[in-house]
Amino acid sequence: MITGLYVPGDRPDRFDKAVATGADLVILDLEDAVAPERKAFARDAVVAWLVDRAAECVVQVRVNAGDGDDLAALRGLAGFEVRLPKVEAPSEVDEVAAVLPGVPVTALVESALGVERAARIAGHPAVTRLGLGESDLASELGTDADAVLDHARVRLLYAARAAGLPPPMLSAYPAIADLAGLRADTERGRRLGWVGRVAVHPTQLPVIAEVFRPTEAERRWADQVLAAVGTGGVATLPNGEMVDPAMVGRARAILTRTGVTPQGDRHHLPKR
């Protein structure tokens, strides 16, 4: 997944519109985007939509941390994943898995304690992705300096890959009108190894998609690597670069982002 879009759970008029944007992931939000007095209405609206529609994209429901009513309302439904905020321990995922067995969980880490325990959280069998709640984390730490947030991003990347999970998607960039800032921060996240980003407005989606779209030079390199060492051994590319099987995984990841699905990636990490 490259692009994701948040939709307030109390705005059911926007649910189909969000799917129509072509985002890879649509997140129906019951948490921060919904005022306390509107949460019951939002929960009912999300459940009704999930019952009546099967979306072509991945759909996640961001529940409220520790809210048993949210989880109970989703019991028995299909075609969705849970986005669980403020995760600090695997036991919090246990609660979701007990009510919604088999439902994939994206665990959002939003505190210093969560960052320190990221590897343990990623290892939970119900967790299929990690995410970082940068706004909450910055509030707790008292700073949103690039170096501080990048440290958390790197920690989560290591935790995710060590557990056999895909690289996390970057969190939402709140300044909707600042597309230049969005691009710069997304490019920084891409250089750190993260793949994809969630948005809070459809106008952000094209920028995110463009940043993560492999360049022609990257696609050519990936094709050459697979052709040269896809079956093993060491080879030299036309530009003189020596390549070996250790580079095959990166080449396959590049081609996957172009819409190509390489076969037989023996460097894929199984979920532990």
Side-chain angles (χ1 to χ4, degrees), residues 215-230 237-238 248 250-252 254-256 258 260 262:
T215 65
E216 180 58 37
E218 288 175 320
R219 290 194 294 268
R220 184 167 58 252
W221 178 87
D223 284 332
Q224 291 173 349
V225 168
L226 292 184
V229 297
L237 300 185
V248 169
R250 180 156 61 97
R252 291 187 182 279
I254 290 171
L255 293 180
T256 297
T258 68
V260 176

Side-chain angles (χ1 to χ4, degrees), residues 25-49:
L25 165 68
V26 168
I27 305 164
L28 307 179
D29 192 10
L30 300 178
E31 198 210 18
D32 287 346
V34 180
E37 66 273 13
R38 297 273 291 174
K39 288 189 182 290
F41 170 79
R43 184 189 305 125
D44 292 343
V46 167
V47 169
W49 189 82

Side-chain angles (χ1 to χ4, degrees), residues 4-86:
L5 181 62
Y6 272 101
V7 189
D10 62 345
R11 293 300 304 271
D13 56 307
R14 296 183 182 178
F15 294 174
D16 287 334
K17 294 177 182 177
V19 173
T21 65
D24 302 314
L25 165 68
V26 168
I27 305 164
L28 307 179
D29 192 10
L30 300 178
E31 198 210 18
D32 287 346
V34 180
E37 66 273 13
R38 297 273 291 174
K39 288 189 182 290
F41 170 79
R43 184 189 305 125
D44 292 343
V46 167
V47 169
W49 189 82
L50 289 173
V51 168
D52 292 338
R53 181 182 177 88
E56 296 179 357
C57 62
V58 177
V59 174
Q60 293 183 352
V61 178
R62 182 164 72 166
V63 298
N64 292 279
D67 193 322
D69 290 338
D70 282 354
L71 299 179
L74 295 169
R75 185 188 287 118
L77 300 179
F80 74 98
E81 301 179 358
V82 166
R83 197 169 184 89
L84 184 63
K86 300 176 174 59

Side-chain angles (χ1 to χ4, degrees), residues 182-240:
L182 168 67
R183 180 181 295 276
D185 187 70
T186 305
E187 288 174 346
R188 196 174 85 249
R190 184 183 193 249
R191 290 192 296 271
L192 290 174
W194 286 48
V195 178
R197 182 162 212 157
V198 297
V200 291
H201 194 277
T203 58
Q204 297 177 315
L205 297 175
V207 174
I208 295 168
E210 183 178 346
V211 169
F212 286 102
R213 186 178 301 120
T215 65
E216 180 58 37
E218 288 175 320
R219 290 194 294 268
R220 184 167 58 252
W221 178 87
D223 284 332
Q224 291 173 349
V225 168
L226 292 184
V229 297
T231 58
V234 178
T236 302
L237 300 185
N239 66 359

